[in-house]
Amino acid sequence: MPRYVDKEERRRHVAAALHRIAAREGLESVSIRTVAAEAGLSVGAVQRDFGTKDELLRFALREMLANVERRFSEIRVGPGGLSFAEGLRRVLTDLLPTDDERLAEARVWSAFYARAAVDAGFADTLAELDARARAALRSAVGWAGEQGELAPGQDPDALVELLLVLVDGIWLSAVRQPPGASLDAQRAAVAAAVAAVTVEGGREARRG
Amino acid sequence: MPRYVDKEERRRHVAAALHRIAAREGLESVSIRTVAAEAGLSVGAVQRDFGTKDELLRFALREMLANVERRFSEIRVGPGGLSFAEGLRRVLTDLLPTDDERLAEARVWSAFYARAAVDAGFADTLAELDARARAALRSAVGWAGEQGELAPGQDPDALVELLLVLVDGIWLSAVRQPPGASLDAQRAAVAAAVAAVTVEGGREARRG
DNA sequence: CTCGTATCGATACACTCGTATCAAAAGGAG
DNA sequence: CTCCTTTTGATACGAGTGTATCGATACGAG
């Protein structure tokens, strides 16, 4: 075969170009042509790598989800790791638009999210992510319960569902902020969420 | 002037057509032509009523926000009204996709929300809504504090921010549900939110 | 009634869209 | 080197886009 190139690497390069356009101008400005130009490729090259625009979008969605999941998988809650409260705080804080990259990510997320409303394939992919997040949260909340970290009167399963919608809310709220706005409100929301759900210090607090 | 017609009424009729299309196929399928066809009008009529597509979209956004605000304004928390916990529960429950109309509304909301990420005019309109919601919540939370309804250790201002992102999260989460899915998870999230933020019964519970 | 004007619906225009096609190029196999 | 296959970039095509234009239409004023 002539012209040895790393196909997967280039697919990721194209997906990154799509993410930049979606963050800057929205999904409506994403076309084969605009993406190819942003990636520095010709239309034909993008067509061969992805075949159809739908497959390009699907790949870009999965690529983004993989990035987010990889980041979150490094936040380990449990024995030998973080307390539940600290883990929760880190997850939520990590989503805040603290830099341009995070803001761009939130914008892309909002665009994909809206598309999931009318594209069953997108909705399915999001549902899979949801299932994994639910499982991880269930485990973390279970451990928090054992450690006495949960505020009294909380049903663990219901709490998991609350945290799931809370993550969406925090992440997406970045989208409506005017540029350069302060993050104080969102930081306050994170602090309030942690405060409402946990009892400070968990077992240690109850020991001391 | 010939052809007496109620202009504002027809603008709302056209906006409703836009909402239906956006809920069914997304904002990308909204064009002057598709909206005109859905509304049973000609392209020229829609053009005369709105001039430009951007103005049509802006009107449709404001129209939707007005509907939601009108609904919420009927939920009155405070002296002579509902308890904070009950009001919060009603607001959050009202957003759930309990019927097709609510589901459609959530889908339209997600589309507009995503557009606000890249359209400053949309973002401004959402920011105004945010300011009004923040004021209403601040008042409700203040009253809840006086009534002893708030769970201990809550900063009222931070709690307001938490509730704001929670509303977004609950509402938007409808979008990723497969059709016909159960609402149990979202109802659980609402219950968990109310439980985490308030102490059951408020003053009454502390008296009894 | 007639007239004048505000509204209408159709069409035109200059794009952009996703996709298909296809000649030119490019590099490993022999 | 010569082939031969894969990859590339350009172009073609039909459809759909926002908007402008402009006769036909329909009504209220006189």
Side-chain angles (χ1 to χ4, degrees):
Chain A
M1 329 142 197
R3 245 328 167 93
Y4 146 86
V5 285
D6 186 336
K7 284 194 69 165
E8 205 56 24
E9 155 74 21
R10 230 189 37 182
R11 279 163 71 94
R12 268 179 279 135
H13 174 70
V14 173
L18 187 151
H19 290 152
R20 287 195 298 276
I21 295 177
R24 199 190 313 133
E25 310 166 45
L27 260 192
E28 313 206 22
S29 292
V30 166
S31 77
I32 303 281
R33 276 171 252 257
T34 58
V35 170
E38 173 82 23
L41 298 171
S42 73
V43 171
V46 174
Q47 275 187 300
R48 189 140 9 292
D49 283 350
F50 292 98
T52 187
K53 185 191 181 183
D54 223 69
E55 199 189 316
L56 166 58
L57 282 168
R58 273 178 220 295
F59 182 86
L61 170 64
R62 285 196 299 268
E63 183 74 8
M64 181 198 187
L65 295 186
N67 283 339
V68 175
E69 279 196 80
R70 186 173 35 71
R71 243 165 46 211
F72 282 169
S73 72
E74 292 167 6
I75 300 178
R76 306 211 67 89
V77 167
L82 301 172
S83 73
F84 175 70
E86 181 60 22
L88 177 59
R89 194 189 336 269
R90 288 207 194 179
V91 166
L92 295 179
T93 304
D94 184 70
L95 295 170
L96 263 38
T98 45
D99 53 34
D100 288 351
E101 195 193 337
R102 292 295 149 93
L103 178 57
E105 203 175 36
R107 287 180 171 165
V108 176
W109 177 236
S110 76
F112 283 162
Y113 206 102
R115 190 183 172 94
V118 292
D119 180 323
F122 269 52
D124 289 347
T125 302
L126 259 54
E128 293 166 14
L129 172 74
D130 228 32
R132 291 192 294 274
R134 187 175 277 110
L137 277 174
R138 217 189 295 270
S139 152
V141 166
W143 186 72
E146 291 171 18
Q147 298 298 110
E149 261 197 282
L150 293 186
Q154 303 271 20
D155 170 39
D157 286 338
L159 181 55
V160 166
E161 301 305 324
L162 170 60
L163 294 177
L164 281 171
V165 302
L166 192 61
V167 165
D168 277 351
I170 281 271
W171 199 4
L172 288 167
S173 71
V175 144
R176 45 158 80 184
Q177 300 285 331
S182 138
L183 291 174
D184 293 349
Q186 277 133 310
R187 290 196 207 280
V190 170
V194 175
V197 156
T198 65
V199 46
E200 328 82 42
R203 181 176 287 169
E204 281 72 18
R206 296 185 312 166
R207 259 210 306 254
Chain B
M1 337 146 191
R3 252 320 171 95
Y4 149 84
V5 285
D6 185 336
K7 283 195 68 165
E8 204 56 24
E9 155 73 21
R10 231 189 36 181
R11 280 163 71 94
R12 268 180 278 129
H13 175 71
V14 173
L18 187 150
H19 289 151
R20 286 195 298 276
I21 295 177
R24 198 191 312 133
E25 309 166 44
L27 259 192
E28 312 205 24
S29 292
V30 167
S31 78
I32 304 281
R33 277 170 251 257
T34 58
V35 170
E38 174 82 23
L41 300 171
S42 73
V43 170
V46 174
Q47 273 187 301
R48 193 147 2 283
D49 283 349
F50 292 99
T52 186
K53 184 190 180 182
D54 222 68
E55 198 188 315
L56 167 58
L57 281 167
R58 274 180 220 292
F59 181 86
L61 170 64
R62 286 195 299 267
E63 183 73 8
M64 181 198 188
L65 295 186
N67 283 340
V68 175
E69 278 194 83
R70 185 172 36 72
R71 241 163 51 210
F72 281 169
S73 72
E74 292 167 6
I75 300 177
R76 305 212 67 89
V77 167
L82 301 172
S83 72
F84 174 70
E86 182 58 23
L88 177 59
R89 196 189 333 268
R90 288 207 194 178
V91 165
L92 295 179
T93 304
D94 184 73
L95 295 170
L96 263 38
T98 45
D99 52 34
D100 288 351
E101 195 193 335
R102 292 296 151 92
L103 177 57
E105 202 176 38
R107 285 180 172 165
V108 176
W109 177 237
S110 76
F112 283 162
Y113 205 103
R115 191 182 171 93
V118 292
D119 180 323
F122 269 52
D124 289 347
T125 302
L126 260 54
E128 293 166 17
L129 172 74
D130 229 33
R132 290 191 295 273
R134 185 174 277 110
L137 277 174
R138 217 188 295 270
S139 151
V141 165
W143 186 71
E146 292 170 18
Q147 298 298 110
E149 262 198 282
L150 292 186
Q154 303 271 21
D155 171 40
D157 286 337
L159 181 54
V160 165
E161 301 304 325
L162 170 59
L163 294 176
L164 281 170
V165 303
L166 192 60
V167 165
D168 277 351
I170 281 271
W171 198 5
L172 289 167
S173 72
V175 144
R176 45 157 79 185
Q177 300 286 331
S182 139
L183 292 174
D184 292 349
Q186 277 133 310
R187 290 196 207 280
V190 170
V194 175
V197 155
T198 65
V199 47
E200 329 82 43
R203 182 174 286 170
E204 280 71 18
R206 298 185 313 166
R207 259 209 306 254

